[in-house]
Amino acid sequence: MKGAAHVLNEALAFLLEVIALGLLAWWGWSAVEPVAGRIALAVAAPGAAAVLWGLFAAPRARFAVPLPVVLVVKALVFGAASFALAGLGHPVAAVVLAAVAAANTALATADRRTAARRA
């Protein structure tokens, strides 16, 4: 991809990441009854996803890992967010989220591979 398409796909990637964290927090808040449990899960679920992402999947990840590891981390985070959304009673939206995240990741991966070959 070039120019505007690249920028739009990268913006969509960031938006999807933020949405995933928000969905995990929403699920955490809704998963249990005691307020302490709600707070714990609403913080821990997105927190764990953010740490995992930052260590292995972010553009400037703490650890440089092979592409398959990056893709597994992304699948785990977006998969968890999709399952959380389905668990919150929105199964169609969960499928849409999973499909958009998969398409976005595929495009971004292809774009990065093409850029790496040119370099």
Side-chain angles (χ1 to χ4, degrees):
M1 277 186 286
K2 290 185 178 183
H6 173 78
V7 171
L8 287 174
N9 198 55
E10 290 296 316
L12 177 60
F14 179 72
L15 180 62
L16 288 168
E17 294 159 19
V18 172
I19 288 169
L21 295 176
L23 288 171
L24 290 170
W26 180 20
W27 171 83
W29 182 258
S30 302
V32 294
E33 274 305 311
V35 173
R38 286 176 179 244
I39 293 169
L41 275 178
V43 171
V51 167
L52 189 62
W53 194 279
L55 290 175
F56 304 108
R60 295 185 195 134
R62 176 82 168 106
F63 299 104
V65 295
L67 178 61
V69 175
V70 173
L71 296 177
V72 166
V73 169
K74 289 182 177 192
L76 287 171
V77 171
F78 289 128
S82 295
F83 278 114
L85 189 54
L88 290 163
H90 303 282
V92 173
V95 170
V96 170
L97 173 66
V100 171
N104 174 263
T105 300
L107 287 172
T109 301
D111 187 33
R112 289 184 186 113
R113 281 185 168 179
T114 300
R117 277 188 233 132
R118 288 185 201 146

